[in-house]
Amino acid sequence: KNQVEQSPQSLIILEGKNCTLQCNYTVSPFSNLRWYKQDTGRGPVSLTIMTFSENTKSNGRYTATLDADTKQSSLHITASQLSDSASYICVVILGYSSASKIIFGSGTRLSIRP
Amino acid sequence: EPEVTQTPSHQVTQMGQEVILRCVPISNHLYFYWYRQILGQKVEFLVSFYNNEISEKSEIFDDQFSVERPDGSNFTLKIRSTKLEDSAMYFCASSEIGTNTDTQYFGPGTRLTVL
């Protein structure tokens, strides 16, 4: 069964600290993996997109890694800011055509405390 | 910066009524999508649309749902006879070329409440 599992479910850290969010997936055929940030009551915003051949991709203070062998990805946030408080969703795309299957994780709810 | 817009922001309806949710995708985008998110649950893919046709739909997108691009700018999702379990946030998204690695831009969502 195609699944995307994220951990932890929620996380609280102090402003300025770093954190790492995890995503494990069991999908086939894998096409690419995305991390989204979703503020409460808003639509998801794309942070990174990684294909099978990419190990790391950065977007400012966000760095995503992908290990296609172990089917794991992580999102590392450096020097957290209050505005980083949001849900972070891991999404895996299956297939290779434009009409592809899209599997969302449940998200990690990140809270940054001053 | 161009963005996807959705109206209304909140829609309240009675069970059994028809609703139409509206989206204006980014103007040069060719691929359009609808997703829903029941409160506290995962985002779920509903349907993708290209060249005035449905490209793919999920099991959720049954005969009660339909999509349309009525005038070249709007993209609508119609629910024919709403059920209590249709209460959710509905997100529209669009992408430029629709490949697997193309970025999808999401709208702010419409909160649908079915009473």
Side-chain angles (χ1 to χ4, degrees):
Chain A
K1 185 181 175 184
N2 292 315
Q3 281 189 317
V4 176
E5 302 289 340
Q6 290 188 245
S7 62
Q9 199 170 35
S10 62
L11 181 64
I12 301 173
I13 63 171
L14 292 176
E15 186 180 9
K17 298 295 187 183
N18 303 336
C19 66
T20 300
L21 315 180
Q22 300 290 343
C23 174
N24 297 336
Y25 60 92
T26 53
V27 304
S28 179
F30 174 85
S31 173
N32 64 86
L33 184 145
R34 304 161 184 233
W35 282 94
Y36 284 90
K37 178 186 179 187
Q38 185 179 23
D39 292 310
T40 302
R42 306 290 298 176
V45 174
S46 181
L47 296 176
T48 62
I49 301 174
M50 288 187 293
T51 60
F52 180 85
S53 59
E54 295 174 293
N55 295 343
T56 299
K57 187 163 277 190
S58 290
N59 178 0
R61 293 181 296 102
Y62 302 102
T63 299
T65 65
L66 175 65
D67 185 334
D69 291 331
T70 61
K71 299 188 177 181
Q72 295 179 325
S73 176
S74 66
L75 180 70
H76 186 74
I77 304 174
T78 304
S80 60
Q81 300 175 359
L82 296 178
S83 58
D84 292 332
S85 294
S87 286
Y88 290 84
I89 305 173
C90 176
V91 180
V92 179
I93 313 295
L94 283 66
Y96 298 97
S97 68
S98 58
S100 298
K101 201 167 177 65
I102 304 166
I103 311 292
F104 284 76
S106 298
T108 291
R109 178 83 201 149
L110 177 65
S111 297
I112 311 297
R113 296 282 188 254
Chain B
E1 186 176 325
E3 57 183 19
V4 176
T5 59
Q6 291 185 242
T7 54
S9 57
H10 192 187
Q11 173 91 46
V12 181
T13 189
Q14 295 289 328
M15 191 169 59
Q17 295 295 305
E18 174 184 286
V19 295
I20 297 176
L21 310 183
R22 290 183 167 79
C23 168
V24 179
I26 293 173
S27 61
N28 63 330
H29 286 188
L30 301 177
Y31 290 80
F32 315 114
Y33 313 84
W34 282 102
Y35 297 85
R36 80 171 185 191
Q37 187 174 29
I38 296 170
L39 186 64
Q41 297 188 23
K42 298 181 185 186
V43 177
E44 300 171 291
F45 168 73
L46 292 178
V47 65
S48 59
F49 190 86
Y50 167 72
N51 199 26
N52 285 317
E53 286 186 345
I54 290 175
S55 301
E56 187 173 23
K57 58 184 181 179
S58 70
E59 314 82 63
I60 303 166
F61 194 88
D62 60 22
D63 292 343
Q64 293 293 329
F65 292 90
S66 62
V67 289
E68 195 177 31
R69 190 155 161 80
D71 57 14
S73 63
N74 288 284
F75 178 52
T76 62
L77 174 70
K78 181 193 289 187
I79 308 174
R80 257 180 275 283
S81 177
T82 50
K83 303 188 278 278
L84 294 175
E85 54 265 37
D86 293 327
S87 295
M89 279 288 280
Y90 288 81
F91 294 106
C92 171
S94 69
S95 65
E96 194 171 356
I97 53 178
T99 62
N100 285 351
T101 54
D102 196 16
T103 298
Q104 292 184 20
Y105 293 85
F106 284 74
T110 292
R111 178 168 297 285
L112 176 65
T113 302
V114 182
L115 303 175

